[in-house]
Each structure stands twice: as C-alpha cells, then as structure tokens.
Amino acid sequence: MSDEKAQDVAEEPKFESVSDFLEATPPNRVSHISDLSEHKYINGYWRDILNTPDIQLHCPSDACNGIRFFRCISGKGEALKTEYRFIYLTYRCSNCQSHSKTYSIAARIDEDEQPTGELYKFGEMPTFGPPTPARLVKLIGPDRDSFLKGRRCENQGLGIGAFIYYRRVVENQKNRILEEIIKVSEKLGAPQDKIETLNAAVSETQFSKALDMAKDVIPESLLINGHSPILLLHSALSEGVHALSDEDCLELASSIRIVLGELSERLSQALKDEAELTKALSTLMNHKKG
C-alpha cells in the first residue's frame, strides 16, 4: 500500500449516531454522524430533516433518580443544509415529565439527500457528564467545588486541569478519607496494629508518605478487584504533571475520579452493612430476653 493510500485510510472519519453524540460526546468537538438527517416530504417539498431520536440520560428528579428515556420537545423538524445550521434542542424525561436537557449545536449534512453529516456541540444545560454521586460529595466534603471544577475540566478534555484539581481534593481531604477507613476498620474488628498505622497516616503531614503508610492496611471489604484504593491513588498521584502529556493526565484524572467514587460507595456500604448487622443482633437478643 502506498503512503498516500495509507494516509487516506488513516484519515477516514469514524461515524457515531445522533443518540451517542447527545448522550456521550462532551462539548467543543466536531463529530461525524451516520444518521444525522432524514429525507422527508413536508408541505410540498422534500427536505433533509434533523434526526432527533429518543436518548437515554440520567434523570435526577425524585421520581426517577436513574437512567430514563428523554424525548425531543423543541428543535424538531429543523431542515439541514451543507452549511452549518445553529440549533437549540430540548429533551424532556419521558417518565417524570419534569426534568429537561437543552443542547446548543451546529449541524450540517455532507450532501443533499444523504443521512451523514457533522455535529458540533457548543454546550448543554445541565452540564455534560454523569452526576457526582452523593456519597462521593459527602466524602470529599469542603472540596466539593474544586472537585466539580475538575469534573468540568475532564468533560472538556482538559487533562492537566482535571488532574490538578483532583489531586488537590485528595490532598486536602486525605485525613477525611483515612478517618472513614478507620471507622470501617474499627467496625470490622481489624487488628490494632493496622488501625494504629492508619492513625499514624492521619497524623503524617507529608501527603505521599501518608498514602504510602496506609496503602497496605485497608480492610478487605474496601479493596477494588483485590487492589487497595489507597495504593491506586498513591500510584496515580505520584506522577509529576509536567512529565505527562495532556492525554495522559486526562486518563489519570478519570481513573482517580472513578476510584474515589468506588471507594466512597464501598465505605458507605461497609458502614451500612455493619449498622444493619448490629440492629439485627440487637433485635434477636431482645427477642431472646423477652
């Protein structure tokens, strides 16, 4: 294969669907779309109409609080050309009928009467990305705003910014995280020497050293696929940001967020399980005495 042919193959665009674009593509980027338009006969004319399929998004309303189908209620029927059209689309949850998502996009078709084209997302409201779990917000406490700034950087593909914000959150809330781990350790009856090591890590002012001290004394119930979350965080946060590319920082930042989220879930679940067990034992003991 000649170099020119190889280059043509390498540069062939990857297509995605409209639904994938709206659900999972962050703002500020162009995507090649496979099903952008539908060729329809409307009011005596054939037109290339913007495809607005049902999409699946997280609905935060009390009635839903999960993934639900959203249907387009505004922006439907827009006729497309080979030049960009600027469009607002509004989708509403089909379950609760109360929560909406609005997109600001630019759209153009590749050729008349063809379904393919390009979409550009200027932004969306509420902002792009899955919601931050309440348990994670509780774990990071006072650094919620810094975490959300990191999340916005991650959504926009700003790897260095996201990494710096997430690192700041973990550094600032190191003691808060370790104290929650100590609570679980004490509830589960962990050996005293491990609890003392965790307490020593809380007292350690040097961040990297504190994580290094705590990485091997984590209760088994908090391990993620057999790995210590503190060890995982220590490994990621030990990287020097100036030695990494923005893409590497983005990948690490995403991993840090995911591990923090999973750790917050496991901490909450471990304490919940112990509370339920204590209540069950108390009920049975009182029943036996009665």
Side-chain angles (χ1 to χ4, degrees), residues 37-52 76-77 79 113:
S37 72
E38 300 174 294
H39 197 57
K40 292 184 175 182
Y41 190 73
I42 301 175
N43 297 328
Y45 297 94
W46 283 98
R47 300 175 185 273
D48 294 305
I49 304 300
L50 175 65
N51 180 24
T52 53
K76 299 173 68 173
E113 302 181 21

Side-chain angles (χ1 to χ4, degrees), residues 109-124:
I109 53 175
D110 291 329
E111 298 177 48
D112 292 337
E113 302 181 21
Q114 295 298 317
T116 61
E118 291 182 345
L119 277 176
Y120 181 88
K121 187 186 292 184
F122 294 102
E124 55 191 84

Side-chain angles (χ1 to χ4, degrees), residues 10 22 67 103 114 174 176 207-208 261:
L22 294 176
I67 300 296
Y103 299 93
Q114 295 298 317
K174 178 262 292 183
R176 191 183 183 94
F207 173 71
S208 182

Side-chain angles (χ1 to χ4, degrees), residues 24-289:
T25 299
N28 304 319
R29 66 181 62 180
V30 174
S31 291
H32 300 281
I33 307 299
S34 59
D35 59 347
L36 181 60
S37 72
E38 300 174 294
H39 197 57
K40 292 184 175 182
Y41 190 73
I42 301 175
N43 297 328
Y45 297 94
W46 283 98
R47 300 175 185 273
D48 294 305
I49 304 300
L50 175 65
N51 180 24
T52 53
D54 293 351
I55 58 177
Q56 294 186 70
L57 301 171
H58 182 273
C59 179
S61 71
D62 293 337
C64 299
N65 193 29
I67 300 296
R68 296 291 185 271
F69 278 101
F70 281 61
R71 293 187 171 90
C72 186
I73 62 169
S74 176
K76 299 173 68 173
E78 290 282 349
L80 300 181
K81 301 292 184 181
T82 53
E83 298 82 24
Y84 273 113
R85 290 286 311 279
F86 302 103
I87 304 166
Y88 282 105
L89 293 178
T90 298
Y91 276 76
R92 179 181 293 162
C93 176
S94 60
N95 184 56
C96 69
Q97 296 290 319
S98 62
H99 186 73
S100 299
K101 165 83 83 169
T102 298
Y103 299 93
S104 173
I105 64 170
R108 73 172 187 86
I109 53 175
D110 291 329
E111 298 177 48
D112 292 337
E113 302 181 21
Q114 295 298 317
T116 61
E118 291 182 345
L119 277 176
Y120 181 88
K121 187 186 292 184
F122 294 102
E124 55 191 84
M125 187 175 68
T127 55
F128 172 80
T132 302
R135 290 170 178 170
L136 176 53
V137 172
K138 182 179 178 181
L139 180 64
I140 59 179
D143 272 301
R144 174 183 178 275
D145 288 344
S146 290
F147 182 87
L148 294 178
K149 288 178 181 177
R151 191 74 180 93
R152 286 194 289 272
C153 286
E154 184 186 348
N155 290 341
Q156 294 173 15
L158 304 175
I160 293 175
F163 182 88
I164 290 173
Y165 275 119
Y166 290 159
R167 180 185 176 93
R168 183 182 302 168
V169 169
V170 178
E171 286 180 343
N172 290 347
Q173 300 307 317
K174 178 262 292 183
N175 287 355
R176 191 183 183 94
I177 295 169
L178 291 176
E179 284 165 0
E180 289 297 304
I181 293 173
I182 290 171
K183 287 181 186 178
V184 172
S185 299
E186 291 174 340
K187 289 285 187 181
L188 298 178
Q192 189 59 35
D193 61 325
K194 290 190 175 182
I195 294 176
E196 289 175 357
T197 300
L198 287 168
N199 280 315
V202 171
S203 301
E204 174 57 52
T205 57
Q206 187 178 341
F207 173 71
S208 182
K209 186 176 180 181
L211 291 191
D212 188 54
M213 292 168 63
K215 69 180 189 295
D216 296 323
V217 291
I218 304 299
E220 187 174 346
S221 62
L222 300 182
L223 299 181
I224 301 174
N225 293 339
H227 300 285
S228 164
I230 298 300
L231 176 59
L232 295 172
L233 290 172
H234 177 259
S235 176
L237 295 171
S238 296
E239 295 282 353
V241 66
H242 298 295
L244 300 172
S245 67
D246 196 63
E247 290 76 12
D248 290 336
C249 284
L250 186 61
E251 185 175 14
L252 279 176
S254 177
S255 299
I256 291 166
R257 173 181 53 79
I258 291 170
V259 168
L260 274 177
E262 183 64 25
L263 175 58
S264 69
E265 291 293 324
R266 290 174 183 263
L267 284 167
S268 178
Q269 191 62 49
L271 292 172
K272 177 184 176 184
D273 290 347
E274 183 62 25
E276 290 177 347
L277 177 60
T278 300
K279 181 180 178 181
L281 290 174
S282 175
T283 300
L284 292 175
M285 293 299 292
N286 290 332
H287 178 76
K288 181 178 179 181
K289 290 177 182 179

